[in-house]
């Protein structure tokens, strides 16, 4: 059943038989959210509001240019870059030999620059892991892991895995007592695989049996992983249009200065030199990377493999196991499209290609359903109304506007229209069946998947038909549909 007189069929669910099942007292606004329905939605949303509150607090005290929450991916890139540069510079002082590594690091204490590079390398790696975990958790709580975003999710996990493994190997290279545990845990796990003729752990039974070649291989892999990280990052961002890749200058300076200060105040040091025959009396491990040491000591190699595989399967399968329903992608009406390319430039997820064609225009827009997250930003781009978002077709909203404004006009009222983002700003608003909202008195409320869905002509139309005006309520600083809020501001400014 559609709402009487409005012609709305897909905006919201209305009971089939109002007699048998009474109409709800209000509608939950997030029905047209661009995000899918997922399992544990309520829990994830509550967790997300924690991040939003944190972000609001940071925002109250800091300008956006200094706010890491609005550029988290870029912060990871920056800290990774600092780790990379300091790591390369460390090669001037470090000896990648099992017999000389520890001494070469100790010798750095007498060179302030070497010591600074070493500390910077350690703390930037820690910061990189910390921000990557935060970014991953925020992605989970904001439910940005479904549909076409699976690639960013899976590659993000690969990146975090690579980063962790590189840090793990990095601690091996110090060749102190911590490194000894790293080596023993690694060989314990590797020895289960039938790839080595001799169990690897035998090389670590005594100080004399240590294998120099193996140590050098660890060093070599530690150097190579950043290259794989580059490939992973390319995969991670290939579906992101205009990604926020670099931090803004003030934040770049703030993070670099903070890392230098921490490095000067708490210089990174090694533990006692590795001794295969003596257990350390105490150990202060870096838990950003070395947490598995504690587990490796307690579990058998088989149990470690099982645990690793189960955890990996659970986190990697999130885009499929957690999602109940994905949203339908947008569709282009090729007959109407005039090939202006605006939607192609605006799509935040690189889902649109301009294809050559004969006839009406040399180009026509084509949407790749496998990449479209159904944000609707392209419908707001298209002056010729050639793109339809099945979740919220523009013609339904036009019909709704006509009906509502006609009714209000006949009562002598001039209502304001509030177009609110269904996912963030308006997610908790409760809209009455007549589209008024107790929290926004005086407004008729229309949820939209993203304010970017809205074409400025629709606002003009509302005003022409008797609305007093329109208010657009978009997302916060990390918009659900990325560029939607920005494009809307620019479109309205003309
Ligand atoms: C470890 C290193 C990582 C780096 C350097 C990184 C970097 C980035 C960057 C620069 C963006 C673009 C942000 C924007 O412009 O809107 C992004 C987006 C994204 N990242 Fe990561 N990320 C990393 C890890 C992860 C992890 C661990 C996950 C989740 C498991 C993840 C999931 C995502 C998703 C789903 C998006 C797309 C968000 C959207 O659709 O709006 N990333 N990442
Ligand atoms: S802008 Fe359009 S094509 Fe691009 S992801 Fe959003 S709805 Fe899909
Ligand atoms: S904005 Fe509209 S008219 Fe322009 S290319 Fe895209 S679909 Fe075609």
């Amino acid at each position: 059943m559609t709402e009487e007189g409005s012609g709305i069929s897909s905006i919201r669910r209305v009971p089939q038989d109002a007699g048998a099942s009474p109409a709800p007292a209000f509608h939950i606004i997030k029905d047209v959210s661009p995000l899918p329905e997922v399992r544990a939605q309520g829990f994830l949303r509550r967790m997300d509001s924690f991040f939003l509150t944190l972000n609001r607090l940071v925002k109250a005290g800091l300008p956006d240019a200094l706010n890491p929450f609005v550029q988290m991916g870029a912060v990871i890139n920056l800290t990774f870059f600092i780790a990379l540069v300091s790591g390369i510079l460390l090669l001037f002082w470090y000896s990648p030999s099992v017999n000389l590594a520890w001494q070469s690091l100790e010798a750095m204490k007498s060179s302030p620059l070497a010591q600074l590079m070493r500390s910077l390398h350690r703390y930037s790696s820690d910061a990189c892991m910390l921000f990557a975990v935060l970014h991953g958790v925020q992605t989970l709580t904001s439910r940005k892991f479904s549909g076409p975003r699976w690639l960013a999710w899976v590659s993000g996990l690969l990146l975090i895995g690579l980063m962790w493994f590189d840090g793990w190997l990095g601690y091996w290279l110090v060749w102190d007592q911590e490194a000894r545990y790293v080596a023993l845990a690694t060989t314990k796990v590797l020895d289960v695989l039938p790839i080595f003729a001799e169990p690897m752990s035998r090389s670590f039974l005594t100080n004399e049996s240590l294998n120099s070649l193996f140590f050098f291989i660890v060093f070599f892999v530690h150097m190579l992983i950043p290259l794989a990280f580059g490939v992973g990052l390319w995969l991670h961002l290939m579906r992101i249009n205009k990604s926020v890749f670099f931090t803004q200058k003030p934040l770049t300076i703030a993070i670099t200065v903070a890392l230098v200060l921490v490095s000067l105040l708490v210089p990174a040091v090694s533990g006692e030199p590795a001794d295969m025959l003596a257990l350390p009396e105490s150990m202060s491990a870096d838990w950003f990377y070395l947490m598995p040491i504690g587990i490796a000591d307690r579990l058998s190699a088989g149990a470690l493999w099982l645990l690793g595989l189960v955890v990996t399967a659970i986190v990697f399968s999130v885009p499929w196991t957690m999602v109940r329903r994905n949203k339908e992608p947008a569709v282009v009406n090729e007959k109407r499209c005039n090939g202006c390319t605006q939607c192609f430039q605006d799509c935040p997820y690189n889902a649109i290609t301009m294809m050559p064609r004969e006839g009406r225009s040399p180009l026509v827009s084509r949407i790749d359903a496998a990449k479209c997250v159904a944000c609707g930003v392209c419908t707001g781009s298209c002056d010729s109304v050639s793109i339809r978002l099945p979740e919220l077709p523009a013609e339904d909203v036009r019909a709704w506007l006509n009906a509502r404004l006609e009714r209000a006009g006949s009562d002598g009222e001039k209502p304001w229209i509030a177009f609110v983002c269904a996912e963030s700003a308006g997610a908790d608003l409760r809209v009455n069946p007549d589209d008024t909202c107790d929290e926004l008195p005086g407004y008729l409320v229309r949820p939209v998947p993203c304010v970017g869905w809205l074409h400025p002509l629709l606002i003009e139309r509302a005003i022409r038909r008797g609305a007093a005006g329109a208010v657009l309520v978009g997302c916060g600083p990390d918009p659900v549909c990325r560029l939607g809020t920005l494009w809307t501001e620019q479109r309205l400014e003309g």
Side-chain angles (χ1 to χ4, degrees), residues 354-375:
M354 297 308 299
M355 303 295 288
R357 74 163 166 191
E358 305 267 314
R360 188 165 184 257
S361 60
L363 294 174
V364 65
S365 161
R366 192 148 302 157
I367 293 176
D368 183 345
K371 293 184 184 167
C372 173
V373 306
C375 64

Side-chain angles (χ1 to χ4, degrees), residues 174-239:
V174 179
W175 206 236
D176 59 0
Q177 286 290 47
E178 257 170 50
R180 170 183 178 274
Y181 276 99
V182 171
L184 290 177
T186 311
T187 51
K188 178 175 176 177
V189 169
L190 286 183
D191 278 348
V192 175
L193 303 176
I195 44 176
F196 303 108
E198 288 270 304
M200 289 303 300
S201 42
R202 284 209 191 145
S203 314
F204 296 93
L205 286 178
T206 64
N207 294 324
E208 289 69 37
S209 61
L210 292 173
N211 187 329
S212 301
L213 177 66
F214 195 56
F215 191 85
F216 190 77
I217 292 174
V218 169
F219 168 73
F220 192 65
V221 176
H222 182 68
M223 300 281 106
L224 274 188
I225 285 179
L227 287 181
F229 194 90
V231 177
L233 197 54
W234 169 75
L235 266 179
H236 193 58
L237 300 179
M238 71 188 296
R239 290 188 176 173

